[in-house]
Amino acid sequence: MKSPLNQWYEKAGVRRDPRRVIGQDLESGKTLFPEAMIPYLDHPLVRALGPDERFRIVARHLYQYLHFTMHFETSVVNRATERIANGTSGLGVATGMRLDAYKIYCDEAYHALYSLDIIEQVRGATGIDVPAYDFMPFLSQLDGIGAQVMQGEPLLSQLLQVVVFETLVTSILKDVPKDPMVVTTVRDVVRDHAEDEGRHHAYFSGFFKELWTDLDPALRERSARCLPELVLRSLAPDLAPVRNSLRLAGLDKDGVEQVVADAYAPVQVREQIRNSARHTVRLFESVGVLEMPGAEEAFAAAGLV
Ligand SMILES: [Fe+2]
Ligand SMILES: [Fe+2]
């Protein structure tokens, strides 16, 4: 099979794309992030804060997205990708696939670099402070699922994490580049990122098929039960920075909790997760994950099928 990364030297963003630099269009009334994708922005309590606070809230939403990306790429995706690349994944991965994993490793490091670069550029252009961002709670929660469901198999949990995340199709990567109201530089970096991720998606779909074939039946069964929860936790919105941003905008504690409860109602959150995860779930179905004992029920309980 032809590798999805066989033209990496010519096509990868880190090899080909220019550094994206914030231009003049911050001043022409554009937004830093698609406003319709910020679920709390049009809440009456937030709207009442006025247009200047609104702009700062949007900027902090962009910061939050980029900070998450920066940490996720290096702490989650590259943690597992390195193991595939350096030959310590415990699987008999062919050399070509290991070389491809190092290409992905370079891509993700570059995505982390330009995520922080854009944060700093936006801070410079707008003067809006960048709140501290703590990725550890998210990472501990994500690793916690593995520790519970896949006891004694931390490496397999990490490989499954990366498969799940790299085969999800998030609406941000898909929709931000198309939104003409968003600052061009932001659209450009998200488009750059989405192009690389298209190749990663294909790679990790192939990788998962090999991984699944390699697992013994007992581990397959445990993995199948772990995957729905992994999908849910990978895509659950990180609400700590949202709360922090709303406090900085001047809402009191009760106001913040009300906005969060209204904007992130469980039914809507589930619906969005199901939508982003549909390709991943189809991949699982294609190799027989859902035929394992208890799997169909676990996927249904998570609202994924
Ligand atoms: Fe990436
Ligand atoms: Fe990726």
Side-chain angles (χ1 to χ4, degrees):
M1 202 187 82
K2 218 167 87 179
S3 158
L5 290 133
N6 70 342
Q7 287 185 290
W8 182 83
Y9 291 96
E10 294 76 37
K11 289 194 166 171
V14 65
R15 304 270 312 162
R16 192 195 61 178
D17 294 335
R19 180 186 177 212
R20 302 295 180 184
V21 180
I22 298 270
Q24 287 305 306
D25 58 0
L26 266 189
E27 285 111 65
S28 62
K30 291 200 179 183
T31 183
L32 287 161
F33 200 86
E35 300 195 344
M37 294 177 79
I38 306 177
Y40 50 92
L41 195 62
D42 281 316
H43 191 284
L45 292 178
V46 177
R47 221 180 307 143
L49 296 167
D52 290 351
E53 278 306 337
R54 183 183 176 92
F55 187 75
R56 282 190 280 274
I57 289 169
V58 172
R60 285 194 293 267
H61 196 88
L62 174 70
Y63 294 158
Q64 167 189 347
Y65 165 66
L66 292 170
H67 264 145
F68 178 86
T69 301
M70 176 188 90
H71 285 288
F72 198 90
E73 303 290 38
T74 49
S75 303
V76 179
V77 181
N78 273 355
R79 177 172 67 177
T81 303
E82 184 191 9
R83 302 297 293 263
I84 301 168
N86 70 15
T88 61
S89 67
L91 306 162
V93 180
T95 309
M97 221 169 181
R98 288 177 51 196
L99 288 166
D100 283 350
Y102 269 130
K103 293 172 186 170
I104 292 172
Y105 190 90
C106 298
D107 290 344
E108 304 297 24
Y110 189 52
H111 302 162
L113 164 62
Y114 62 56
S115 296
L116 185 58
D117 186 22
I118 294 298
I119 290 174
E120 285 305 307
Q121 289 188 46
V122 172
R123 189 223 305 257
T126 62
I128 299 169
D129 285 340
V130 182
Y133 182 87
D134 184 5
F135 184 69
M136 280 319 286
F138 178 90
L139 185 60
S140 315
Q141 209 194 16
L142 191 63
D143 287 344
I145 318 161
Q148 285 160 21
V149 191
M150 301 290 294
Q151 251 182 34
E153 297 288 341
L155 178 56
L156 177 57
S157 302
Q158 290 171 13
L159 293 171
L160 292 174
Q161 282 168 1
V162 78
V163 167
V164 166
F165 218 88
E166 292 287 295
T167 56
L168 294 169
V169 177
T170 63
S171 50
I172 292 182
L173 285 183
K174 208 164 43 92
D175 296 337
V176 172
K178 293 185 217 151
D179 190 335
M181 289 309 293
V182 174
V183 167
T184 308
T185 309
V186 172
R187 292 169 66 192
D188 287 345
V189 285
V190 176
R191 187 182 301 108
D192 294 345
H193 195 170
E195 283 173 12
D196 286 340
E197 290 306 329
R199 289 182 279 273
H200 298 182
H201 185 121
Y203 175 87
F204 280 103
S205 298
F207 172 79
F208 181 69
K209 288 175 184 159
E210 296 217 355
L211 168 73
W212 194 254
T213 313
D214 257 40
L215 288 181
D216 66 47
L219 273 180
R220 276 192 207 172
E221 202 177 315
R222 287 171 70 196
S223 304
R225 282 201 305 264
C226 169
L227 286 168
E229 197 60 26
L230 216 51
V231 171
L232 289 188
R233 300 235 193 146
S234 302
L235 284 176
D238 186 4
L239 297 177
V242 173
R243 289 191 167 93
N244 187 36
S245 177
L246 293 171
R247 285 305 292 270
L248 288 168
L251 289 187
D252 64 16
K253 218 164 176 284
D254 291 344
V256 168
E257 289 315 312
Q258 199 184 323
V259 171
V260 167
D262 293 343
Y264 293 95
V267 180
Q268 282 155 295
V269 172
R270 278 286 167 104
E271 183 51 39
Q272 209 176 12
I273 292 177
R274 182 215 269 277
N275 193 33
S276 302
R278 62 191 191 281
H279 291 96
T280 310
V281 172
R282 224 173 287 148
L283 168 69
F284 295 160
E285 281 172 331
S286 77
V287 300
V289 172
L290 277 85
E291 288 150 36
M292 302 307 294
E296 178 111 45
E297 292 80 356
F299 276 81
L304 294 172
V305 289

